[in-house]
Amino acid sequence: MPRFRFVVSKGEVYRKTQKEKKLRFKRKYILYAFVIWIVGNVLVFLAREYISNYFFSAQLPQLQVENYKRILIFAPHCDDETLSSAGVIQRALLAGSKVKVVVMTNGDGFTRAAGQNFGKIRLSPDDYIKFGYLRQNETIHALEDLGLRREDIIFLGYPDRGLRFLWEKYFDSKVSYFSPLTRTFKSPYSNSYQRGVEYKGINVVKNIQSIIKSYEPDLIIYPYSRDQHPDHWATSAFVKFSILTLNYKCEEWQYLVHRGDWPTPFGKHPQMYLVPPFKLAFTDTKWYQVPLDDYMIERKSNSISDYHSQMKVMRGFLEAFVRQNELFAKLDAEDAKKYEGDNLFSDKYLISNEPIHDIWSLIFEKGADIEAIFAAHDSKNIYIGIKMVGSAKKLISYYLHIRAFENYKYLGRMYVLVSGSKMNVIKTMTSPAFSAQNAKMRRKKNQIEIIFPKKDLQNPNMLYLSVRTEFLGRQLDRSAWKVIELK
């Protein structure tokens, strides 16, 4: 029976029962256990990254920059070209090679950096444009310090934080994308490659194709498809799409900038190496390095310091790229095997092995965590398989984005949504439109299988595709854009 203590002058004081004490103890225990779990995971992460730094640095094969005479580098924002490829630029120029840099956006959408540089809380569209010009000047100074000339730097002038929308929603639409920061439907910059260019994805492709055809590079360097920043993976998609539609043959290297807490640790550690994040080290990506000597490392550090607007707000992140090497990836096209009527989710049909548990939310929502993508085909149909870590949930939306080609001729694109037991075509954006009327979809636990008749996609022999998952409109996971050849 619970006991009570009475104080006459101040009234009654309630003493907690034994049951309440046990409940309180359990709550404390759960809280402490959760904190210990978080701290433990952080320590494991750091230990794993440090160990992998020394292990992978010895395993990474080297790339020879000197083998290429005309190098074209694409950067989503002002500074990405220096973070990723300052050493490559130096090595190329020393070997007598030519280098051009194409900057997709002027980085004018970094509100925190713009506000801190201008000492303002509320910024006007003119402030954002002014900040874009400031970042352009920083890029020019940084690249001139590395040995490039001003005429070797091209600014396209597309909207910062808007490239994903140009790739997905405003690729071939009748209306242009509207930048909410600069408040315009077209580039407001006087020095853009195409002055006053409208914000449409198809214009991005035309600009990239024009530059490739006129410069004729034998090496193109652009962002890694699994970079988590939307402007970065969209730049990767645009460049690869442009190369495909031109049927242009050259070497391709991809670089990583944004992937969680990578590079680890932040700050300037020139004695360490850039190595792939642990989750990406065992995927279908082949990783390589370009080693730098002490002089190159120092020049790269000085060039990064030229980005004063960025150093004010993210110095530790920028300086983390000052290492003994630069890291690059190669992501090859995959051949879809002939379907033999067996299990689509077997290894012989695997075309993309995706990293799992690579963000915290996916640890708890495994049904949204993309594990692998499978593809096969026969004389009539194309079979696409999507495998998650956990069971596919009804509240999670699964999007499949397909772009189809026939002998490198672009046929069009289709955007498919799987939600619950239904599959819907959101948009086809093609003329004539693709049809999904005869497409079929099957779900089983953690697997989704979609079957498209080839004739409904105009009989393609190559696909460029990606999968993403969403919960209530918020993206949870996204696969790399992969080239699938239907041989």
Side-chain angles (χ1 to χ4, degrees):
M1 182 175 180
R3 298 179 179 179
F4 297 91
R5 180 164 58 89
F6 295 91
V7 179
V8 176
S9 59
K10 294 184 179 180
E12 182 181 279
V13 177
Y14 175 70
R15 180 177 294 175
K16 286 183 171 59
T17 65
Q18 197 67 22
K19 184 177 180 181
E20 288 174 318
K21 287 180 179 179
K22 287 182 179 180
L23 182 60
R24 184 180 181 186
F25 175 78
K26 287 181 179 179
R27 288 173 178 170
K28 283 185 177 180
Y29 176 79
I30 293 172
L31 178 61
Y32 293 152
F34 183 67
V35 171
I36 292 171
W37 179 79
I38 292 177
V39 173
N41 274 276
V42 171
L43 293 176
V44 169
F45 169 78
L46 293 174
R48 185 182 66 194
E49 294 298 321
Y50 271 103
I51 293 171
S52 67
N53 190 278
Y54 291 99
F55 175 76
F56 287 113
S57 62
Q59 305 295 322
L60 291 172
Q62 295 184 11
L63 294 169
Q64 300 300 321
V65 179
E66 297 78 7
N67 292 341
Y68 306 96
K69 299 305 179 184
R70 304 175 75 85
I71 300 174
L72 185 60
I73 302 173
F74 287 89
H77 313 103
C78 303
D79 71 12
D80 289 317
E81 76 299 321
T82 303
L83 297 179
S84 67
S85 307
V88 168
I89 293 171
Q90 294 178 73
R91 280 194 174 277
L93 295 179
L94 283 173
S97 303
K98 295 183 178 180
V99 180
K100 277 192 182 293
V101 171
V102 179
V103 186
M104 303 286 287
T105 81
N106 296 321
D108 51 24
F110 196 170
T111 301
R112 181 163 64 95
Q116 188 159 335
N117 275 272
F118 296 150
K120 293 182 177 181
I121 297 177
R122 292 186 177 182
L123 298 168
S124 68
D126 288 340
D127 289 327
Y128 284 109
I129 296 171
K130 181 180 177 182
F131 187 59
Y133 279 119
L134 184 153
R135 294 198 65 180
Q136 285 185 357
N137 288 330
E138 291 176 342
T139 298
I140 293 169
H141 291 150
L143 293 179
E144 285 180 341
D145 284 349
L146 294 174
L148 280 186
R149 302 170 300 171
R150 172 62 186 90
E151 53 264 35
D152 293 323
I153 307 168
I154 300 171
F155 297 102
L156 296 188
Y158 287 100
D160 188 13
R161 295 162 56 180
L163 292 182
R164 170 192 171 180
F165 301 107
L166 299 191
W167 173 251
E168 292 185 336
K169 187 175 181 180
Y170 294 90
F171 185 81
D172 42 15
S173 62
K174 294 180 180 179
V175 297
S176 303
Y177 172 76
F178 179 72
S179 171
L181 302 177
T182 58
R183 308 294 294 176
T184 179
F185 292 94
K186 59 184 180 180
S187 174
Y189 298 95
S190 61
N191 58 354
S192 293
Y193 178 73
Q194 180 183 347
R195 190 168 181 174
V197 63
E198 292 186 359
Y199 289 158
K200 293 182 180 182
I202 195 64
N203 290 336
V204 180
V205 173
K206 289 178 181 178
N207 290 166
I208 293 173
Q209 289 179 333
S210 173
I211 294 168
I212 291 175
K213 287 190 290 186
S214 62
Y215 185 57
E216 297 183 342
D218 51 2
L219 170 61
I220 298 179
I221 300 175
Y222 57 98
Y224 181 49
S225 184
R226 290 191 176 98
D227 194 300
Q228 290 178 332
H229 193 300
D231 281 340
H232 282 245
W233 66 253
T235 296
S236 180
F238 271 120
V239 175
K240 184 62 179 178
F241 180 86
S242 301
I243 293 172
L244 289 174
T245 49
L246 284 176
N247 191 16
Y248 190 79
K249 305 301 180 184
C250 68
E251 190 73 11
E252 300 172 37
W253 299 355
Q254 298 183 11
Y255 62 83
L256 177 65
V257 172
H258 297 282
R259 189 78 190 186
D261 292 328
W262 186 87
T264 304
F266 280 6
K268 197 171 183 179
H269 303 279
Q271 76 284 357
M272 297 185 69
Y273 291 82
L274 283 176
V275 298
F278 193 80
K279 293 289 186 180
L280 296 178
F282 304 101
T283 60
D284 49 1
T285 301
K286 298 175 183 177
W287 294 97
Y288 301 84
Q289 64 174 327
V290 173
L292 310 182
D293 60 31
D294 291 342
Y295 179 67
M296 292 176 179
I297 294 172
E298 183 179 358
R299 289 188 74 185
K300 179 172 183 175
S301 177
N302 292 338
S303 294
I304 290 175
S305 298
D306 287 332
Y307 291 97
H308 303 291
S309 66
Q310 308 305 293
M311 292 290 279
K312 290 180 181 179
V313 294
M314 52 195 304
R315 174 184 291 270
F317 174 69
L318 299 182
E319 290 184 341
F321 287 86
V322 181
R323 301 285 173 97
Q324 290 286 316
N325 65 337
E326 288 175 340
L327 184 69
F328 296 96
K330 293 185 181 181
L331 203 60
D332 297 330
E334 300 288 344
D335 292 338
K337 301 291 191 301
K338 291 289 185 179
Y339 187 55
E340 299 175 355
D342 52 348
N343 181 16
L344 178 63
F345 295 89
S346 62
D347 288 343
K348 69 178 179 180
Y349 300 126
L350 178 68
I351 55 98
S352 181
N353 205 0
E354 295 296 318
I356 61 173
H357 306 323
D358 48 339
I359 60 173
W360 287 101
S361 59
L362 294 178
I363 296 175
F364 303 101
E365 192 46 81
K366 296 180 180 180
D369 196 350
I370 304 167
E371 180 178 343
I373 300 174
F374 303 81
H377 70 110
D378 55 28
S379 60
K380 294 183 178 180
N381 299 313
I382 299 172
Y383 305 82
I384 305 294
I386 307 166
K387 183 179 180 182
M388 275 66 65
V389 174
S391 296
K393 302 291 183 64
K394 292 183 178 180
L395 294 179
I396 297 174
S397 298
Y398 302 87
Y399 291 89
L400 172 63
H401 193 162
I402 293 177
R403 303 203 176 200
F405 298 81
E406 182 185 13
N407 298 326
Y408 295 96
K409 177 187 176 183
Y410 176 54
L411 300 176
R413 64 192 181 111
M414 177 180 287
Y415 213 23
V416 175
L417 165 64
V418 175
S419 180
S421 59
K422 297 181 180 180
M423 181 183 73
N424 298 308
V425 175
I426 305 301
K427 289 180 180 177
T428 59
M429 298 289 192
T430 60
S431 181
F434 288 166
S435 171
Q437 186 175 3
N438 300 311
K440 298 178 182 178
M441 187 272 293
R442 292 195 288 257
R443 297 184 61 160
K444 181 181 179 183
K445 294 183 179 180
N446 64 332
Q447 299 173 350
I448 297 176
E449 180 180 350
I450 304 175
I451 305 172
F452 297 103
K454 282 186 175 180
K455 63 179 182 179
D456 291 351
L457 298 181
Q458 300 181 33
N459 296 304
N461 56 18
M462 185 171 67
L463 301 177
Y464 191 39
L465 61 81
S466 177
V467 176
R468 82 167 188 267
T469 60
E470 288 186 359
F471 177 72
L472 299 178
R474 184 175 70 89
Q475 178 176 296
L476 295 177
D477 198 13
R478 187 190 62 82
S479 75
W481 278 88
K482 292 282 290 188
V483 177
I484 315 300
E485 295 185 357
L486 309 175
K487 293 183 177 180

